[in-house]
Amino acid sequence: MTTTAARTGAGATSLGPRRRARRRLLGFVLAFAVLVLIGLLSLAVGTKYIPLPEVWTALFAPTGSYSDTVIASRVPRTILGLLVGAALAVAGAVMQGVTRNVLADPGILGVNVGAAAAVVTGIAFFGVGAGVGSVWVALPGAFIAVLVVYVLGSAGGRATPVRLVLAGVVVSAVVATYIQALALSLPEVFNAYRFWVVGSLAGRDPQLIFDILPFIVLGLVLSLGIASPLNALALGEDTARALGSSVGRTRILGALATTVLAAAATAGVGPIAFVGLAVPHIVRAFTGNDHRWLIPGCIVLGPALLLAADLVGRVIVSPNELMVGVVTAFVGGPMLLLVVRRMRGAA
């Protein structure tokens, strides 16, 4: 019945089935082409520019040349961007579905700030760096933050989306104050934290890829598995229950998937804002609100957006670099305003 709801409710537009399918197919083809192009540019652009034909040769028919060595050194950065972009975009799509709030992103339940607080605590008191192994520190912090938000949001009644959002804002504010207090009080913490907190793909240890990969794969599989229940939830709690969908289980699994994805991404490259907010809205332009297509679309366009922001950061202040977290903030601000304007127009 849940599947029926997904087909009849979420994603329903004024377009006919054939036209929707054609637009969805065209959107996925273009999105994949954009991802491939930006992925190749990510390998080509740097202190030394490598022409795209040489990038292709280095990847599929290496000759041991200097260009091959340069390309090989850029591969881990590109792979890290692919993983983190997919994780943040899918986490945003799931969070917007769970809370039924189009302005939601992983940070709204305190995931990012919880992971950051755990890393700062590890640096300050346990000598844990913000590099390899940080995922094992960030994950418990993110889970504890989400648990606290859920407990506060469900106190005295059901955990409604509005209660969860308010609890998330409160917890995020308190934890952010704790982070600032530690960073400003302990100079050694501040020196380590200030490079991590902005969010950057540059200079990361390639081992981080293997550290965060299992968590991101787990989160993506879990997110794809609850796509149909999220469609039922989009119709309203009472309707979802009437259709046989468990609202509580969907929210718990959604929160778990979001936490794993956002915590792994944050542990890998630091907090990066707005990817989880912006990408689902872009993908909806060709998939509609059906999470069975929205989540795969985010897996394709999330990495494209993050790698594009990283490329912009490398080019506009060359030969130096602007951290990708700063660039995404500039992109996300106008996107947030656009979403708010569309909401006002629809009201």
Side-chain angles (χ1 to χ4, degrees), residues 79-170:
I79 294 176
L80 193 59
L82 293 172
L83 292 175
V84 171
L88 291 175
V90 172
V94 173
M95 184 54 59
Q96 290 171 14
V98 168
T99 62
R100 299 175 60 200
N101 184 342
V102 295
L103 294 178
D105 72 356
I108 203 167
L109 289 188
V111 177
N112 293 346
V113 75
V119 171
V120 171
T121 303
I123 295 172
F125 302 112
F126 302 104
V128 178
V132 175
S134 59
V135 64
W136 299 107
V137 180
L139 275 171
F143 276 113
I144 291 173
V146 172
L147 182 62
V148 171
V149 168
Y150 189 81
V151 170
L152 291 177
S154 59
R158 290 187 304 176
T160 64
V162 174
R163 284 171 173 266
L164 290 174
V165 169
L166 291 176
V169 171
V170 171

